Amino acid sequence: MTPLDETPSAQDPQSAAGGPAPGPAATGGGRHARPARSEQQEVTQAALFDAFGGVRGTVETMLPGLLFVMIYTVNRDVRLSAIAAGALAVVLVVVRLLRKDTVKHAFSGVFGVGVGVAFALFTGSAKGFYLPGMIYGAGLGAAFTLSALVGFPLLGVVLGPVFRENLSWRTRNPGRKKAYTKASLAWGIIFLAKYAILFPLYWWGDATQLGWVLIALKLPPMLLAVYFTWVFLAKAPPPIDVIAEYEAEEAERKAAKAKAGTAQPGKPQD
């Protein structure tokens, strides 16, 4: 069995019983034992923070765009605004590297800003700075919605490795598949609603207007989507740790092989 295996095994208590296996928090007695639901909510919250970069990661993705629109509002210089935003994105990555922090979200942010800077400099229009991110966000909203409708929710693909369940939720954990479907649909609807507001501004509004509205709509929709994800997953069955299953089976195989080796009779001596 590999970590991506989705077939129920005889050792999987959740598959055999038709529900999640009771964890320590659910079975452990005592007055001070925490409920399993509370522990699951904490694990879900920690995983979501890790997956989406937390508050700091979200703020860092906002700062280059905020600097761009501030400078452009003051002097209407597209080139200066774009270069300043790109330089700030690089500085944020360097700071993370010096502090030895996680840089995966910072690198994705600097890539997005870099594409926006290139569009702005190439077109000579401040709106060009925002266009790549808007196209990406609208496409992501459509992908979340479509994946939920076809029964292969994108959020499950993204968060599965974070929860160490990979794609086991597809066939072995229908409660989590349902939660991922609801959460993916929420992400899709929220993103599509956001860009339904922004694209008319891009076509008919002022570049400064577009920039400030985009900044204002950066954080609230993201927080709302993450909140819905937390609500749906916190109420879902716990994830099946397929990595732990795989490691346990590998350890059993090695132990059985070692035992078989020691049980073989030695060669007869002369």
Side-chain angles (χ1 to χ4, degrees), residues 54-69:
V55 176
R56 178 183 173 187
T58 305
V59 170
E60 285 182 351
T61 62
M62 292 178 61
L63 290 178
L66 179 60
L67 182 63
F68 178 93
V69 71

Side-chain angles (χ1 to χ4, degrees), residues 11-61:
Q11 297 176 350
D12 177 22
Q14 178 168 352
S15 300
T27 58
R31 294 183 305 166
H32 304 292
R34 289 187 303 171
R37 182 66 63 192
S38 174
E39 184 175 351
Q40 185 181 339
Q41 289 175 343
E42 291 179 10
V43 171
T44 301
Q45 180 177 332
L48 289 176
F49 266 82
D50 177 69
F52 299 112
V55 176
R56 178 183 173 187
T58 305
V59 170
E60 285 182 351
T61 62

Side-chain angles (χ1 to χ4, degrees), residues 9 29-30 38-40 45 63 82 113 119 133 142 146 191 196 204 217 231 251:
S9 64
S38 174
E39 184 175 351
Q40 185 181 339
Q45 180 177 332
L63 290 178
V113 172
F119 264 70
L146 183 62
F191 269 52
W204 299 300
L217 290 179
V231 168

Side-chain angles (χ1 to χ4, degrees), residues 53-177:
V55 176
R56 178 183 173 187
T58 305
V59 170
E60 285 182 351
T61 62
M62 292 178 61
L63 290 178
L66 179 60
L67 182 63
F68 178 93
V69 71
M70 287 175 64
I71 294 177
Y72 185 77
T73 299
V74 173
N75 60 21
R76 302 284 173 167
D77 189 330
V78 175
R79 183 179 180 84
L80 177 62
S81 303
I83 292 175
L88 178 58
V90 172
V91 168
L92 292 173
V93 172
V94 171
V95 170
R96 277 191 175 263
L97 288 172
L98 292 176
R99 293 168 55 91
K100 298 182 179 179
D101 291 336
T102 304
V103 295
K104 58 182 179 179
H105 301 291
F107 273 124
S108 63
V110 77
F111 176 77
V113 172
V115 174
V117 168
F119 264 70
L121 294 178
F122 179 76
T123 62
S125 167
K127 290 183 178 181
F129 179 79
Y130 307 116
L131 183 60
M134 290 173 60
I135 293 174
Y136 173 76
L140 199 57
F144 273 119
T145 304
L146 183 62
S147 70
L149 294 177
V150 300
F152 201 140
L154 183 58
L155 206 61
V157 179
V158 174
L159 294 180
V162 178
F163 287 106
R164 294 170 59 90
E165 63 183 333
N166 292 341
L167 297 179
S168 64
W169 49 266
R170 291 191 61 211
T171 55
R172 297 178 59 188
N173 206 337
R176 285 188 74 80
K177 180 180 179 180

